[in-house]
Amino acid sequence: MKPAAFDYHAPESLEEALALLNEYGYEAKLLAGGQSLIPTMNFRLARPAVLIDLNRIKELSYIEKNGSGLRLGAMTRQRALERSELVANHAPLLHETMPFIAHPQIRNRGTIGGNIAHADPASELPAVMWALDGYLKLQSAAGERRVAVQDFFVGMFTTDLEPEEMLTEIEIPAMFPRSGWAFREIARRHGDYALVGVAATVRLDEAGRCEDARLVFFSVGEGPVEAQLASDALIGELPGDALIETAAALAAEADIDPDGDIHASADYRRQLARVLARDTLRRAFERTK
Amino acid sequence: MKNRYIGKPLRRNEDARLLTGQALFVDDVHIPGMLHVAFLRSDHAHARIGSIDVSAALERPGVVAAYTAQDLGDYWQPGPLLVPPPPIKDIVFHACTQVPLVRDKVRHCGEALAAIVATSRYIAEDALDDIVVELEPLDAVVDVERALEPASPRIHEHIESNLAAHVVQEKGRYETAARQAHRIIKRRFLYDRGVAAAMENRGVVANWDEKSQQMTIWDTTQAPIPIRNGLAAMLGLSESQVQVIAPFIGGGFGPKIMMFYPEEVLIPWIARELKCAVKWIEDRQENFFATTHERGQVHEAEMALSEDGRILGVRDVFLHDTGAYDPYGLTVPINSQCTLLGPYRVPNYYSEFKAVFTNKPIVTPYRGAGRQHGVFVMERLLDIAARELEIDRVEIRRRNYIAPDDFPHNHEIIYQDFAPLTYDSGNYLPALERAVEMIDYHKFLEKEKARLRAEGRYAGIGIVSYVEGTGIGPYEGARVTVEASGKVCLVTGVGTQGQGHYTSFAQVVAEQLGVEVSDIRVITGDTREFHWGTGTFASRGAVVAGNACHAAAKAVREKILKLAARLLKVPEADLVLEGGRVQVKGKPDQAIQLGDLARQANPLRGAVTPGTEPGLEATAYFGPERGATASGVHAMLVEVDPETMMVEIKRYVVVHDCGTVLNPMILEGQIQGGVAQGIGNAFYEQLHFSDNGELLNASFMDYLLPTALDVPPIETDHIETPSPLNPLGVKGAGEAGAIPTGALFVQALEDALSDLDLEINEIPLSPQRLFELVEAAKLERTVVS
Ligand SMILES: Cc1cc2nc3c(=O)[nH]c(=O)nc-3n(C[C@H](O)[C@H](O)[C@H](O)COP(=O)(O)OP(=O)(O)OC[C@H]3O[C@@H](n4cnc5c(N)ncnc54)[C@H](O)[C@@H]3O)c2cc1C
């Protein structure tokens, strides 16, 4: 459980980091909070030849208002997000989610950028960012691009990032009026990756009909899984218990196709998905009021 | 006389050192020039070795040596059989013990194939990749029932099947009881356990000093003295040349009493080969393969009852998975067989088991050591009987308890200490009544449950009994010395793994000598300090070592009184020991400090009466005629979310009887820790093996230990029924917390889900497994209706 040998760089600026990344590309790994990378290196599942430590780059750690939305620096610690008033006010779904990510000790080190870039299908933040319609800023020595969260996740632990690119910022758009949100997960123990979890966002039109609904699951597939049929069933309708039950059942039975593993069978995951979809939709619609 | 120190909740002497990081653990040992070892371990569970080539590894800079089985020459020997089979009629037992490095065949995943010695652990691990192994994978034996089928692959070719042992024990005649029975309950039970997962993994540092020809070994063992004696013999050294130190150890729980682990045999040998210090620290991943486990049993059990719920007899036939080797003999299944009888009168008992080899890591005792399995079977049978006979769960237990005047109670079968299973003492009803009262059993069933149910909440209650055979022989010893400073030094051979020995043993000595507990320096687990004894296991520290401390302290007390009486010129009966001095009763100015007395007892010049022994010192030993039987009752309130199957433990009550309580705070700690492990066993921890015998969840990410957030506060109370078999009247308490939790958990869950008529006959559970069981029960109901 000791990592293989590697070269280590600790740049002080983003520019320097991007130059190093440009130089080493595939051979390098960025070290953010290290809460996912270091264990995989200790198990020798990852053997980067070069580590580029981002922890000295102050310019990558911030929580800023962007109109009514937010901009979050990639190196912002998860604990800082959890405690941020800006996040509580402008991205309450994110605020509600943070305590479910690992344990305080891990959130003290773990970063939002590292979490999203790691693309663990059991991770909360990719699904939450998806439900919030977030955007990601990807930078390299050659330039930058802005990618919708929905287009970023390619598969299990794989993203749209090129080897020379770094995720530098996460953008969360403003909430519309008459929006509601909710988050819930079922984990074996406090702080574990969830067996199943879901982030829900809904919006009503002036007549009180559902205008938009997103139900984004995690731990049920290769990455965040959006329940499209459930959304279709909700949009244009007046929310109510029967409708919510129908949407939840559609999500669990038709939208997701979970695998079984040692902790949960596919059937059990569907059962949990139905319960969580129902509960989060209920809560999200309540919050539109 | 009223106790001054025994029975007081004194703060632990060792905690300041432990909590501030000042305590020495094996990994804290650093010796200049020390080399580090990493082991190449097999990914396969069953495979024939072709060749192992370490030549490329030896080329790597920083690698000092590499060893395979071939390199060990005559030193390569299968380990000793630690516990021989007990003297039971017609017993079948095949000893197949572990080897230092695999020579011809791998028998479980993680078995060590080669050792690399390098200047750092990093380099040693790098070099593992350089080793080229050729092997032929074989079909693995994973399932304990299929292991005995004639077509099953064989693990040890020199025996004709995978049967490790076959044991029948019988008392009375079950068939006769069954013929007279009003009702027979018959079920199949599965009980699986996992790893002890001590916070500190194992580790060994060995230092061979060529000039002094001395071997010093720091080892995370629960048995430093037997390790010293064994290693001296293996290495061809005198016992006096080998010192084994078991310093502070971060949890033992049984697997660290196993000996000899391959690494324990190899690291000292390598140190002598290379004439230097060598360190190996097990990492968490290795711990899952290289440290012993406990594991599954499959029981086919039946109980014959009278109409009023009295047990007429029990018949139990079970299989015990012993893993790839059986160095610890039959301790675990014998414990299951014996502990099944619990606190109950069972006039007729037929118990038969087969221990079976499988291609899985070795099974040896882990806290509870097979007792859980037996308790589960008995308590389940009683629960089912209660339901079928419409008798309350508490009532059926009460009716079957051994009466307080029926002790010593001989169950007429052989226990793990090779003696007839005889309970020294016990009084079970008060604990049951107290637990009923503490958890408010009747109110819950009569009112609360229905009230919560009306709110859509599924709450349930459980209550179970158990006994724990503790404090078995053979013996332990202790030496007590009053030093010239007036402080006391207490040395005992047993090692310490967090139990609070530095305090509870000191309390026993303080009681005799009238000194403050904090003025007693306790030394444990260092063979240079004390080299007689066996080790810390079977909940025996307080009983066996504790009574040795008591005996040594009493002997020193006699010396003190004798000398002080002479010096103060008063009869011994007029003296009291208090506040670190001897004083004439009622005359505080006529006194002598213990330190002064110690100096007088060790004169530098002049003459002594011939035959005088120097110092205020005594060594004493204690060996009980047989073990002391502790007992208890656990009760629990749970709530289940019927949609997600997540379970919350609302309350957990333990009423425990371990005879005289030495330190109630330490005792509570023992119980809480045990319950936490019991909860882990019941609902969180499970080892998952593939069909090839690979362990699929060898990390704390997938092997779920309950955390502080998952273990509820535990409410405890004590009943004291002193053991008549030792002067302190103590019984062991080390394992009690962990023993009945599975049985309790299942009973409470069934109660919570009583709408479904669910019967759960297995442990461990998980929300996933509960979901399956509930779905199956629902299906059955629709089919029936
Ligand atoms: C016990 C435990 C429990 C956990 N439980 C959870 C949980 O319940 N939910 C959950 O979501 N997570 C959980 N985690 C993971 C935790 O949230 C990690 O912090 C997170 O996944 C990774 O963030 P990090 O900053 O530590 O990244 P690192 O571990 O440093 O990096 C992770 C990966 O992302 C890459 N990377 C890092 N930063 C960037 C960047 N700016 N641009 C491009 N690539 C980058 C790295 O190269 C690496 O490949 C847990 C971790 C532990 C140890």
Side-chain angles (χ1 to χ4, degrees), chain B residues 626-640:
Chain B
R626 58 172 181 271
T629 307
S631 62
V633 174
H634 288 206
M636 169 194 247
L637 270 182
V638 295
E639 193 172 329
V640 189

Side-chain angles (χ1 to χ4, degrees), chain A residues 21 28-40 51 54-55 60 74-78 100-103 106-107 109-120 122-126 152 161 165-168 185 191-194, chain B residues 701:
Chain A
L21 199 51
K29 275 272 178 203
L30 297 174
L31 174 66
Q35 299 303 301
S36 296
L37 181 57
I38 299 294
T40 35
L51 271 196
L54 304 181
N55 284 280
L60 283 178
M75 281 300 290
T76 309
R77 306 285 168 191
Q78 293 159 7
F100 292 93
I101 300 171
H103 314 273
I106 285 150
R107 297 198 292 275
R109 294 296 301 165
T111 65
I112 181 163
N115 189 297
I116 292 174
H118 191 54
D120 189 321
S123 196
E124 292 84 356
L125 289 177
F152 181 73
L161 276 167
E165 278 182 320
M166 182 193 304
L167 166 60
T168 52
E185 68 174 40
D192 276 348
Y193 281 107
Chain B
M701 181 149 162

Side-chain angles (χ1 to χ4, degrees), chain B residues 310 342-346 397-411 423-430 721:
Chain B
R310 279 171 218 281
Y344 308 111
R345 209 163 1 83
V346 181
R397 289 175 167 80
R398 196 185 63 78
R399 283 185 198 169
N400 285 290
Y401 276 162
I402 298 166
D405 57 9
D406 198 5
F407 291 92
H409 189 87
N410 187 348
H411 275 305
Y423 298 172
D424 59 321
S425 60
N427 187 9
Y428 305 132
L429 199 54
T721 310

